[in-house]
């Protein structure tokens, strides 16, 4: 899916149909089947990555998930990340910064959450909130957030240089689909807790958010860490797409089982004596 | 499974067959089926727990997993914990204490890893290592570890009082089964990385570990937080048993969807206007 979904020069967010399914012409059942068919491969690649990181020198992967409210970030965590061995996952959900976090540069808490060698780090929201909600609501001066695109690019270049592959995903939903999903949260008592009145207020700023997303796609989609914009009006497609992006990245890394650091035959003999 | 597996007065570890399957008379396939049949219920209970914890006042669960090397802790994490939404899990794997951890009382790092309201905390090894490996290898004076049983009980009583249910699981394998599992790690190149020569050395201390386990079962199996000793020579049984223990605990807590903290009808009207 990388080729179909990667942002390149001239990409226009408004031109991408959130209901489309680039690179996949099946339906919901086909998508579930496609996901199941590679589950074992994904599990083995993840375990190889983990094993290879045991010496604290292996590669790691960072999956960054952004998207408007109700775009399906939680579903990605449950159905894609949740299908991977939890021992190999470092999941961080970034909320509004705490007082301690606010006292540090905006990348401080991000740096602290980077995946260790062998791990798949997952960011539910990320450094990009600092050029999204912050920009839309003027939470810092313009001169500050303007600088952040470059700071993020430098930061990510350093992370990549140290061996972490970064997969940046924007879940792209339509304004109407968001309305329907918020409506569902109001209609179903078992979903009421997911609804926040502020979510309705934020809809006033829909266009400003889309502009801010367009700006960050323009400025932070780099060769080493391109953005992937995933049409997300169909949850089943978004899940398949993110799983595929993760799988393709792990295939590229192609981690190998580490060689034994001890004498296997000697250990067999020692074990036999016990 | 709680009734079948809970440790009560007079329990003798050496009398429990690690190859037995208390409370279950099916085979491997039956166990997989039994696990699948309650997956949805478990998922819903977990989500209710999480939803109820949103106000930072709800209950939480702490699953403590102990066992000899190769007893299947990793498999429990992968197959039982991994079946739960990762957003609701706080997993901590305790290794040999770092320098910073050593500079604090032994419960310091444990306290820092306790689950927040709404979460299921999972400890892969735990405070109990401080009366296991520490006792077997005389890592602290006897007078120190002797005191720890009472300290752990007091600590756990406080944790429970604050709303966290504790499920303490010992995965119980036989010495022969451990040998077979270590042998497999030596025989299979894709498992070599899991083997550590120290694992063979530790087998010399098998009896001392069993004695230490017996002692902690005697001293720290309390009414509010009993130990469950899970025969673990059959991995499929151990996974089923731990899933059931978690399920039974969540059923007892019976978390409810929180009521809306806003006016649902008013919000519907506001949403309709957007």
């Amino acid at each position: 899916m990388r080729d179909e979904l990667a942002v390149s020069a001239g990409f226009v967010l408004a031109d991408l149909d959130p209901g489309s399914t680039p690179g996949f012409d099946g339906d919901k059942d086909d998508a579930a089947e496609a996901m199941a068919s590679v589950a074992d491969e994904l599990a083995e690649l993840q375990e190889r990555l983990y094993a290879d990181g045991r010496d604290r020198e292996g590669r790691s992967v960072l999956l960054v998930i952004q998207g408007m409210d109700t775009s399906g970030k939680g579903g990605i965590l449950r159905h894609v990340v949740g299908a991977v061995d939890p021992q190999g996952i470092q999941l961080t959900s970034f909320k509004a910064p705490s007082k301690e976090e606010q006292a540090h540069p905006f990348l401080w808490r991000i740096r602290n959450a980077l995946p260790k060698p062998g791990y798949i780090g997952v960011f539910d929201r990320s450094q990009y909130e600092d050029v999204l909600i912050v920009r839309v609501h003027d939470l810092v001066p313009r001169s500050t957030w303007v600088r952040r695109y470059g700071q993020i690019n430098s930061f990510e270049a350093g992370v990549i240089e140290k061996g972490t592959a970064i997969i940046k995903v924007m879940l792209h939903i339509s304004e109407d689909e968001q309305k329907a999903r918020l409506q569902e949260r109001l209609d179903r008592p078992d979903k009421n807790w997911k609804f926040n009145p502020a979510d309705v207020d934020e809809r006033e700023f829909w266009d400003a958010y889309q502009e801010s997303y367009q700006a960050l796609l323009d400025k932070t989609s780099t060769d080493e860490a391109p953005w992937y914009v995933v049409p997300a009006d169909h949850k089943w497609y978004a899940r398949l797409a993110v799983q595929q992006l993760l799988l393709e990245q792990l295939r590229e890394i192609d981690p190998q089982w580490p060689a034994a650091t001890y004498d296997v035959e000697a250990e067999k003999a020692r074990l036999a004596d016990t």
Side-chain angles (χ1 to χ4, degrees), chain A residues 143-265:
Chain A
S143 60
T144 300
W145 60 253
V146 161
R147 222 173 22 234
R148 286 183 176 169
Y149 299 103
Q151 290 171 326
I152 289 173
N153 285 341
S154 303
F155 170 74
E156 291 184 359
V159 170
I160 291 164
E161 201 179 320
K162 288 208 168 168
T164 302
I166 305 180
I167 309 169
K168 301 188 291 201
V169 170
M170 178 203 173
L171 299 175
H172 179 45
I173 56 166
S174 64
E175 205 176 347
D176 285 347
E177 179 64 20
Q178 187 191 59
K179 191 172 189 171
R181 291 183 187 180
L182 288 173
Q183 185 69 46
E184 191 186 20
R185 291 181 181 182
L186 288 168
D187 290 340
R188 286 178 50 175
D190 64 329
K191 297 214 168 190
N192 281 176
W193 67 280
K194 291 188 174 183
F195 179 89
N196 184 333
D199 299 342
V200 175
D201 302 330
E202 284 296 273
R203 283 175 60 76
E204 297 284 322
F205 300 92
W206 184 272
D207 292 344
Y209 273 107
Q210 298 299 305
E211 272 167 41
S212 298
Y213 268 109
Q214 178 70 56
L216 77 80
L217 296 173
D218 290 342
K219 292 172 202 288
T220 65
S221 203
T222 59
D223 286 345
E224 310 91 354
W227 274 95
Y228 300 98
V229 179
V230 175
D233 276 5
H234 295 299
K235 290 179 181 177
W236 53 263
Y237 172 76
R239 290 167 191 172
L240 171 67
V242 178
Q243 185 212 40
Q244 291 292 321
L245 291 171
L246 181 59
L247 180 64
E248 289 168 19
Q249 183 63 65
L250 286 168
R251 281 180 185 153
E252 185 185 299
I253 294 176
D254 192 23
Q256 300 298 312
W257 297 117
T261 53
Y262 49 85
D263 180 337
V264 174
E265 294 309 316

Side-chain angles (χ1 to χ4, degrees), chain A residues 98-109 112 148:
Chain A
S98 67
K99 276 196 175 169
E100 190 191 10
E101 288 168 348
Q102 280 178 335
H104 288 89
F106 78 105
L107 290 170
W108 177 78
R109 63 176 186 166
N112 287 343
R148 286 183 176 169

Side-chain angles (χ1 to χ4, degrees), chain A residues 13-70:
Chain A
L13 182 59
D15 291 347
L16 179 62
D17 177 1
S20 62
T21 61
F24 190 71
D25 58 10
D27 62 11
K28 185 176 177 173
D29 290 342
D30 299 329
E33 206 174 296
M35 287 184 74
S37 72
V38 292
D40 286 348
E41 183 188 359
L42 184 59
E44 179 169 330
L45 282 166
Q46 180 274 323
E47 196 182 356
R48 284 174 186 257
L49 184 78
Y50 183 82
D52 190 42
R54 266 292 168 104
D55 60 0
R56 303 189 182 183
E57 286 185 4
R59 303 284 309 272
S60 57
V61 172
L62 174 61
L63 175 64
V64 172
I65 306 171
Q66 284 288 156
M68 301 293 287
D69 283 333
T70 78

